[in-house]
Amino acid sequence: MAKKLLVKNKILKRGVHYLTSDYKSRNENRSTHNGMDFVGSVKQDDIVAIEDGVVNYVGYDKGGGGNWISIKTNGIEHRYFHLANNTTKVKVNDKVKKGEVIATMGETGNATGYNVHFAIYKNGYVDPLPYLMNDDPFNIKGCTVLDDFYTTFVKSVQALVGVEVSGIAGEDTLNNTITISKNINRKNGLVKVLQIYFQELGYDLGSYGIDGVFGPQMEKIVKQYQKEVVKLSDKLIDGIITAKKYTWKSLLKL
Ligand SMILES: [Zn+2]
């Protein structure tokens, strides 16, 4: 299951990213995995350079990496794989700045869905985590992998709709959901839980932030979510989280 990983050096433009597969030394199931995989809070986020550097390779890896870019900083190569076709914004010898967009996340090579495989090469592949965590690449203090926020969301919903709090959503949870909208249950406790969840997903709550009230900004977010994630037809995009229906189903990943 995806974990939210707080890192100092951003790798995705939107700033929220989830670790889906760890480097081999921390994951015995992936003993040959030479980097770390991240997915974004939006389906296809842009990838940014984690440090200033010079592009030393742009190409395609037939071994499964797909489109990839390598950027060299102080003799260390930062490598980004599975880039979407025709999105690479840099060429060999270009100087890039930390935070600069270099390409868009894709699924080229043997990627399972949109993700970025990030690797560090220094006389062979090494664990990327220290490089993402700190200015000092050999100091890994402060490394934090949080409980994933989806489970927290499910538990909160379960508590509020009065079903067993297991953190695992099922039909029982879905069947007890209620309608939430600008006009219905607009101050229900679930609104706050939903706001926190949407924020974690990368949506902008606007100036009111997490206030527990379903206002115009929440309606906008729900419509955006219905369009982009639930993929409802225009006719069904209504900004209403209807009891037991598609939007709840999608939020609960059912
Ligand atoms: Zn990978």
Side-chain angles (χ1 to χ4, degrees), residues 2 14 27 34 53 57 72 78 91 106 157 160 185 188-189 192 198 201 230 235:
R14 291 285 291 271
N27 185 345
N34 64 22
Y57 189 84
K72 206 166 184 175
H78 303 155
K91 54 186 190 313
V157 171
L160 287 165
N185 294 314
N188 187 278
K192 194 170 183 182
F198 279 121
L201 289 171
V230 194
K235 209 174 64 183

Side-chain angles (χ1 to χ4, degrees), residues 49-231:
I50 70 154
E51 289 290 356
D52 292 357
V54 176
V55 179
N56 69 313
Y57 189 84
V58 175
Y60 189 88
D61 172 36
K62 288 179 183 160
N67 297 321
W68 68 290
I69 292 173
S70 176
I71 295 172
K72 206 166 184 175
T73 304
N74 299 329
I76 296 163
E77 293 177 25
H78 303 155
R79 297 182 171 185
Y80 307 79
F81 294 86
H82 305 319
L83 311 174
N85 286 324
N86 305 316
T87 63
T88 300
K89 294 191 167 33
V90 294
K91 54 186 190 313
V92 172
N93 291 330
D94 277 0
K95 282 185 184 162
V96 296
K97 285 274 170 206
K98 177 178 178 173
E100 185 180 328
V101 173
I102 53 172
T104 301
M105 178 186 269
E107 50 183 352
T108 55
N110 66 358
T112 49
Y114 296 114
N115 78 92
V116 55
H117 173 95
F118 177 75
I120 294 276
Y121 192 87
K122 190 193 168 197
N123 306 318
Y125 285 104
V126 297
D127 185 359
L129 185 61
Y131 295 83
L132 290 168
M133 292 305 302
N134 287 285
D135 288 337
D136 172 3
F138 299 102
N139 175 6
I140 61 164
K141 276 180 198 155
C143 160
T144 316
V145 178
L146 302 175
D147 273 351
D148 79 280
F149 71 93
Y150 165 73
T151 306
T152 307
F153 169 70
V154 172
K155 282 183 180 174
S156 306
V157 171
Q158 288 173 327
L160 287 165
V161 301
V163 299
E164 191 200 339
V165 179
S166 63
I168 299 160
E171 291 303 309
D172 193 31
T173 308
L174 183 68
N175 287 334
N176 284 281
T177 55
I178 59 170
T179 298
I180 306 277
S181 76
K182 209 167 66 178
N183 301 312
I184 305 164
N185 294 314
R186 66 189 296 268
K187 289 186 180 176
N188 187 278
L190 282 168
V191 175
K192 194 170 183 182
V193 171
L194 287 160
Q195 286 175 329
I196 293 168
Y197 190 49
F198 279 121
Q199 181 164 282
E200 293 279 9
L201 289 171
Y203 291 88
D204 179 7
L205 288 166
S207 53
Y208 289 97
I210 297 164
D211 61 356
V213 182
F214 196 113
Q217 185 64 16
M218 265 299 274
E219 190 178 56
K220 207 173 122 186
I221 289 171
V222 173
K223 281 183 179 171
Q224 197 186 339
Y225 181 83
Q226 288 176 325
K227 185 183 163 103
E228 292 171 358
V229 182
V230 194
K231 303 209 179 298

Side-chain angles (χ1 to χ4, degrees), residues 33-58:
H33 194 238
N34 64 22
M36 294 169 81
D37 296 338
F38 295 98
V39 297
S41 48
V42 294
K43 195 177 173 191
Q44 259 190 296
D45 210 339
D46 288 325
I47 297 165
V48 300
I50 70 154
E51 289 290 356
D52 292 357
V54 176
V55 179
N56 69 313
Y57 189 84
V58 175

Side-chain angles (χ1 to χ4, degrees), residues 235-250:
K235 209 174 64 183
L236 293 172
I237 294 169
D238 55 8
I240 300 168
I241 308 174
T242 305
K244 309 175 198 179
K245 295 287 191 186
Y246 345 91
T247 310
W248 267 120
K249 214 170 166 178
S250 169

